Amino acid sequence: MATRTDAPTRREQILREAARLFAERGFHGVGVDEIGAAVGISGPGLYRHFAGKDAMLAELLVGISGQLLTGAKRRLAEADGVAGPEAVLDSLIEGHIDFALDDRPLITLHDRELDRLRDSDRKLVRQLQRQYVELWVEVVRQVHPDLTEAAARSAVHSVFGLLNSTPHLGRRGLPGRSATAELLHRMARGAFSAAPPAAG
């Protein structure tokens, strides 16, 4: 979502405002009228775009999981035969940092509201997330060949936890986007370097 440069569609505007409001006040604390008002249309007008709030939530959470996976695959394809594993890992980290800094409401939404999805949507989110993790695991093990697959996977999840902590940082204490991105990048690389190698 953060990588688009063209004007957002009305549907994308609705989703962006729904994510912001859901993150601020919780899924049940927001009505369709408020979401509509945020984008300049009536609450009932939203039903021309979505069946209801549940549909918005599903599209937000399934959508961002799909976008992260697609973005990671694109970065791997662009680096194929051109960049070494270190550069590929840096590119993956940069992509996730962009998400963590630019789509904070979606992180909050995922943490709070994932269980509200119907089973099929929740399973799809988990499936997309597992594929995303495995792409990282493969690259991490190329950079750190002494790591077992299990250790690399644990390190990847730990780094995601680190990067996805941005909604809790507040805005007042942050040194600016570029400096924050650089700090997160150094911390992510440091976390991978600190992962324990295989015994023996």
Side-chain angles (χ1 to χ4, degrees), residues 51 113 129 135 149 164 179 197-198:
E113 312 290 357
Q129 290 174 339
L135 288 179
E149 185 174 319
N164 291 347

Side-chain angles (χ1 to χ4, degrees), residues 3-152:
T3 58
R4 284 183 61 108
T5 56
D6 51 331
T9 65
R10 179 50 62 98
R11 187 180 181 86
E12 289 168 336
Q13 291 173 344
I14 293 169
L15 286 172
R16 182 178 300 130
E17 291 304 314
R20 179 182 63 81
L21 290 168
F22 291 159
E24 288 176 358
R25 303 214 299 271
F27 180 75
H28 287 304
V30 179
V32 292
D33 289 339
E34 295 168 276
I35 299 171
V39 295
I41 61 176
S42 67
L46 289 179
Y47 293 109
R48 290 197 298 270
H49 302 277
F50 296 96
K53 290 198 308 177
D54 289 338
M56 294 180 209
L57 181 64
E59 184 155 336
L60 284 164
L61 295 183
V62 173
I64 194 56
S65 296
Q67 288 174 44
L68 284 170
L69 177 59
T70 298
K73 288 180 175 179
R74 176 181 51 78
R75 288 170 181 270
L76 290 176
E78 290 172 350
D80 188 27
V82 177
E86 296 270 358
V88 175
L89 181 57
D90 283 334
S91 181
L92 288 176
I93 293 171
E94 288 165 8
H96 199 98
I97 288 173
D98 285 343
F99 158 66
L101 292 178
D102 298 336
D103 289 312
R104 294 186 193 190
L106 289 175
I107 297 174
T108 301
L109 202 58
H110 180 277
D111 290 345
R112 292 181 184 169
E113 312 290 357
L114 181 63
D115 287 344
R116 297 193 190 282
L117 295 182
R118 60 184 181 180
D119 287 346
S120 59
D121 288 328
R122 188 167 57 252
K123 288 177 181 177
L124 179 55
V125 168
R126 293 302 191 194
Q127 179 185 20
L128 293 167
Q129 290 174 339
R130 282 194 296 271
Q131 293 177 52
Y132 183 60
V133 168
E134 293 311 308
L135 288 179
W136 279 66
V137 169
E138 182 178 347
V139 174
V140 168
R141 294 193 73 201
Q142 291 173 12
V143 176
H144 300 283
D146 54 341
L147 292 182
T148 64
E149 185 174 319

